[in-house]
Amino acid sequence: MTLLQEIESALADAFEKVLGERVPTPVVPSADLRFGDYQSNVAMALAKKRKTNPRALAQEVIEVLNLDGLAGTEIAGPGFINFRIEPGTFARKAGEQLRDDRLGVPDCGHGRRVVVDFSAPNVAKPMHVGHIRSTILGDSLSRIADFLGYEVIRDNHIGDWGTQFGMILHGWKTILDESALEADPVPELLRVYREVNSRAKEDPAVLDTCRSELVGLQAGDEENLAIWRRCVDLSKEGLQRIYDRLDVSFDHWLGESFYNERLPGLVDEFIDKGLAREDGGAICVFSGGELPDDQDPFRIHKEDGWKDNPAIIRKADGGFLYATTDLATVEYRIDEWKADEIWYVVGAPQQLHFRQIFDACRRWGKKADFHHIAFGSILGEDRKLMKTRSGDNVQLVDVLDEAVERAAAAIAEKNPDLGGDEAREVAEIVGIGAVKFAELSQHRMTDYVFSWDRMLSLQGDTAPYLQYSYVRIRSIFRKLDQDFDASSVKLVLEAPEEIHLSRLALRYGELLPTVLDDHRPNLLANYLLELARAFHSFFEACPVLKAEGVESRDSRLALCELASRVLSHGLGLLGIRCPQRM
Ligand code: ARG
């Protein structure tokens, strides 16, 4: 049990003794350590209901409260109960945490099955920095959910069946450079796409040809299908290389095309069940009429009042849409995979789309907890959407290359002794870690400014700072000329910095589950920064190898061990590795 859980349960017992019934007794970490470590306002809430004096109720409860010496208590203000953890308790719990593989983190997923839909780039278009947010956030949330005891299915719902294939097919047949394709397929596919796209803008005849190529593909034309297949395969290979570098993996890659055959039947079912109807030749889902207009995704406010805002699931020409595929995808995930939850890590502009999908699925009887985990944009240093100098979308591979290059330069300067292979490996870990942490330390809805200097700084709120903190701790153990087994050490905590470091390490098990309340890895990222800062204060104030007496030295070494374990484990859940030296 975490400290918070122990206090909560003792408090529930005490309230039960006083009130004669079991009531929920939430406890929270105090925002200000002057008021102790934890705090509860239950006495105030209950006194109000029972029309008694809150301080008097709190006093009665404290008198029967049995904390077994865990913490001291005091009543503050109008009736808060404050808990101050005893140093001995921190020492005992920190020792337990050291011996626990889970580092004190409870299982709270209980095997619930969650499908995480993330990354999902569009084939034959390169992955750009917008996709980086989904990829990094989705990967971290998957790792966290997995560790917390969910059964996680990672699904890469790639856009492998879009209108872009009209252009690709036409370009493939007319301007493809086979040798360039052999050498490096993704940039060649991109060149072809861009070229045809700009020609089509100038010449309507080109656009027409592209359209008929697309119709041919959708009708099952053999040649077009073969080109499409090759194109998808090549793109997947290119993507896989990036995922390998990012250390991101998927259980499935069920792209849009996987659902093609299901779409006609799905639309018929929607019509039969009265969930969709014809409108101007197209088949549309309209409001179910159960929600107030301002909460109904199928209603929209215009100048002259509330209007219908339907989702088209079959166009008048018979074509299906993004929404149709997403409905089929939900059905598959629930029926085949028995998903309890589905998380979509997709940018904020698709908010309305997902609200419509979720509402339509509810009416269709597809039951799961749906979450659209939205995020904002990445801005350049000019605070405009990040673009290359020529105005194109910045590509992910280029970002990663530059991050690693810059990290390599910084490392060469800081630690010239690091040799060739190791230096390269460390640069990769540091550069990619920096990009990931810049993403994960922001609230996902903020539009954040992409700044190389800031994300790579060793002093800032960055991955390199955390990795460096880890390396610093490990170097203490390298200087120790003997093996050290932290699991048998009895901790003694005296200095306030020692106490604080253990307090923060123990908070890990309390904090991690809260990350999933609103799907915010930035809570973990910021916690790790706080932990690292606490380590540095400790290390400045308390000599470790030169501590007075073996007992104190071992206790401090154990604390170092604990801090480094939590640090690297937490970074691991963000998808960030730690080098041994840097
Ligand atoms: N391919 C889409 C895009 O790049 C994202 C797909 C997200 N997942 C989904 N099930 N709709 O915008």
Side-chain angles (χ1 to χ4, degrees), residues 204-230:
V206 173
L207 194 61
D208 274 347
T209 324
C210 294
R211 280 212 191 101
S212 66
E213 292 291 6
L214 186 65
V215 171
L217 175 69
Q218 289 168 342
D221 175 274
E222 277 307 328
E223 187 192 0
N224 284 10
L225 269 176
I227 296 176
W228 168 77
R229 227 171 269 129
R230 178 116 191 265

Coordinates of all heavy atoms in Angstrom, one line a residue, residues 204-230:
P204 N -6.6 21.0 -64.6 CA -7.8 20.2 -64.2 C -7.7 18.8 -64.8 O -8.3 17.8 -64.3 CB -9.0 21.0 -64.7 CG -8.5 22.3 -65.1 CD -7.0 22.3 -65.2
A205 N -7.1 18.7 -66.0 CA -7.1 17.4 -66.7 C -6.3 16.4 -65.9 O -6.6 15.2 -65.8 CB -6.4 17.6 -68.1
V206 N -5.2 16.9 -65.2 CA -4.4 16.0 -64.4 C -5.2 15.5 -63.2 O -5.2 14.3 -62.9 CB -3.1 16.7 -63.9 CG1 -2.3 15.9 -62.9 CG2 -2.2 17.1 -65.1
L207 N -6.0 16.5 -62.6 CA -6.8 16.1 -61.5 C -7.8 15.0 -61.9 O -8.0 14.1 -61.2 CB -7.5 17.4 -61.0 CG -8.2 17.2 -59.6 CD1 -7.2 16.9 -58.5 CD2 -8.9 18.5 -59.3
D208 N -8.4 15.2 -63.1 CA -9.3 14.2 -63.6 C -8.7 12.8 -63.7 O -9.3 11.8 -63.3 CB -9.9 14.6 -65.0 CG -11.1 15.5 -64.8 OD1 -11.6 15.6 -63.7 OD2 -11.5 16.1 -65.8
T209 N -7.5 12.8 -64.3 CA -6.8 11.5 -64.4 C -6.5 10.9 -63.1 O -6.7 9.7 -62.9 CB -5.4 11.7 -65.1 OG1 -5.5 12.7 -66.1 CG2 -4.9 10.4 -65.7
C210 N -6.1 11.7 -62.1 CA -5.9 11.2 -60.7 C -7.2 10.5 -60.2 O -7.2 9.5 -59.6 CB -5.4 12.3 -59.8 SG -3.8 12.9 -60.2
R211 N -8.3 11.2 -60.4 CA -9.6 10.7 -59.9 C -9.9 9.4 -60.5 O -10.3 8.5 -59.9 CB -10.7 11.7 -60.2 CG -10.7 12.9 -59.3 CD -12.1 13.4 -59.0 NE -12.0 14.6 -58.3 CZ -12.1 15.9 -58.9 NH1 -12.4 16.0 -60.2 NH2 -12.0 16.9 -58.2
S212 N -9.6 9.3 -61.8 CA -10.0 8.0 -62.4 C -9.1 6.9 -62.0 O -9.5 5.7 -61.9 CB -10.2 8.1 -64.0 OG -9.0 8.4 -64.6
E213 N -7.8 7.2 -61.7 CA -6.9 6.2 -61.2 C -7.4 5.7 -59.8 O -7.4 4.5 -59.5 CB -5.5 6.8 -61.0 CG -4.8 7.1 -62.3 CD -4.4 5.9 -63.1 OE1 -4.8 4.8 -62.7 OE2 -3.7 6.1 -64.1
L214 N -7.9 6.7 -59.0 CA -8.5 6.3 -57.7 C -9.7 5.4 -57.9 O -9.8 4.4 -57.2 CB -8.8 7.6 -56.9 CG -9.2 7.3 -55.5 CD1 -8.1 6.8 -54.7 CD2 -9.7 8.6 -54.9
V215 N -10.6 5.8 -58.8 CA -11.8 5.0 -59.0 C -11.4 3.6 -59.4 O -11.9 2.6 -59.0 CB -12.7 5.6 -60.1 CG1 -13.8 4.7 -60.5 CG2 -13.3 6.9 -59.5
G216 N -10.4 3.5 -60.3 CA -9.9 2.2 -60.8 C -9.4 1.4 -59.6 O -9.7 0.2 -59.5
L217 N -8.6 2.0 -58.7 CA -8.1 1.3 -57.5 C -9.3 0.8 -56.7 O -9.3 -0.4 -56.3 CB -7.2 2.2 -56.7 CG -6.7 1.7 -55.4 CD1 -5.7 0.6 -55.6 CD2 -6.1 2.8 -54.5
Q218 N -10.2 1.6 -56.4 CA -11.4 1.2 -55.6 C -12.2 0.2 -56.2 O -12.8 -0.7 -55.5 CB -12.2 2.5 -55.2 CG -11.4 3.4 -54.2 CD -12.1 4.7 -54.1 OE1 -12.9 5.2 -54.9 NE2 -11.7 5.4 -53.0
A219 N -12.2 0.1 -57.6 CA -13.0 -0.9 -58.2 C -12.2 -2.2 -58.4 O -12.7 -3.2 -58.9 CB -13.4 -0.4 -59.6
G220 N -11.0 -2.2 -57.9 CA -10.2 -3.4 -57.9 C -9.3 -3.7 -59.1 O -8.9 -4.8 -59.4
D221 N -9.0 -2.7 -59.9 CA -8.1 -2.8 -61.0 C -6.8 -3.4 -60.6 O -6.1 -2.9 -59.7 CB -7.9 -1.4 -61.6 CG -6.9 -1.4 -62.7 OD1 -5.7 -1.3 -62.5 OD2 -7.3 -1.5 -63.9
E222 N -6.4 -4.5 -61.3 CA -5.3 -5.3 -60.9 C -4.0 -4.5 -60.8 O -3.2 -4.6 -59.9 CB -5.1 -6.5 -61.8 CG -5.9 -7.7 -61.5 CD -5.8 -8.2 -60.0 OE1 -4.7 -8.0 -59.4 OE2 -6.8 -8.7 -59.4
E223 N -3.7 -3.7 -61.9 CA -2.5 -3.0 -62.0 C -2.4 -2.0 -60.8 O -1.4 -1.9 -60.1 CB -2.3 -2.3 -63.3 CG -1.0 -1.6 -63.5 CD -0.9 -0.7 -64.7 OE1 -1.9 -0.5 -65.4 OE2 0.2 -0.1 -64.9
N224 N -3.5 -1.2 -60.7 CA -3.5 -0.2 -59.6 C -3.4 -0.9 -58.2 O -2.7 -0.3 -57.4 CB -4.8 0.6 -59.7 CG -4.7 1.6 -60.8 OD1 -3.8 1.5 -61.6 ND2 -5.7 2.5 -60.9
L225 N -4.0 -2.0 -58.0 CA -3.9 -2.7 -56.7 C -2.5 -3.1 -56.5 O -2.0 -2.9 -55.3 CB -4.8 -3.9 -56.7 CG -6.2 -3.7 -56.2 CD1 -7.0 -5.0 -56.3 CD2 -6.2 -3.2 -54.7
A226 N -1.8 -3.5 -57.5 CA -0.4 -4.0 -57.3 C 0.5 -2.8 -56.9 O 1.4 -2.9 -56.1 CB 0.1 -4.7 -58.6
I227 N 0.3 -1.7 -57.6 CA 1.1 -0.5 -57.3 C 0.8 -0.1 -55.9 O 1.7 0.2 -55.1 CB 0.8 0.7 -58.3 CG1 1.2 0.3 -59.7 CG2 1.5 1.9 -57.8 CD1 0.9 1.3 -60.8
W228 N -0.5 -0.1 -55.5 CA -0.9 0.4 -54.2 C -0.2 -0.5 -53.1 O 0.4 0.0 -52.2 CB -2.4 0.3 -54.1 CG -2.9 0.4 -52.7 CD1 -3.0 1.5 -51.9 CD2 -3.3 -0.7 -51.8 NE1 -3.5 1.2 -50.7 CE2 -3.7 -0.1 -50.6 CE3 -3.5 -2.1 -52.0 CZ2 -4.2 -0.9 -49.5 CZ3 -3.9 -2.8 -50.9 CH2 -4.3 -2.2 -49.7
R229 N -0.2 -1.8 -53.4 CA 0.3 -2.8 -52.4 C 1.8 -2.5 -52.2 O 2.3 -2.5 -51.1 CB 0.1 -4.2 -52.9 CG -0.4 -5.1 -51.8 CD -0.9 -6.5 -52.3 NE -2.2 -6.5 -52.7 CZ -2.7 -7.0 -53.9 NH1 -1.8 -7.4 -54.8 NH2 -4.0 -7.0 -54.2
R230 N 2.5 -2.3 -53.3 CA 3.9 -2.1 -53.2 C 4.2 -0.8 -52.5 O 5.1 -0.7 -51.6 CB 4.5 -2.0 -54.7 CG 5.9 -1.7 -54.9 CD 6.7 -2.8 -55.5 NE 8.1 -2.5 -55.3 CZ 8.8 -1.8 -56.2 NH1 8.3 -1.6 -57.4 NH2 10.1 -1.5 -56.0

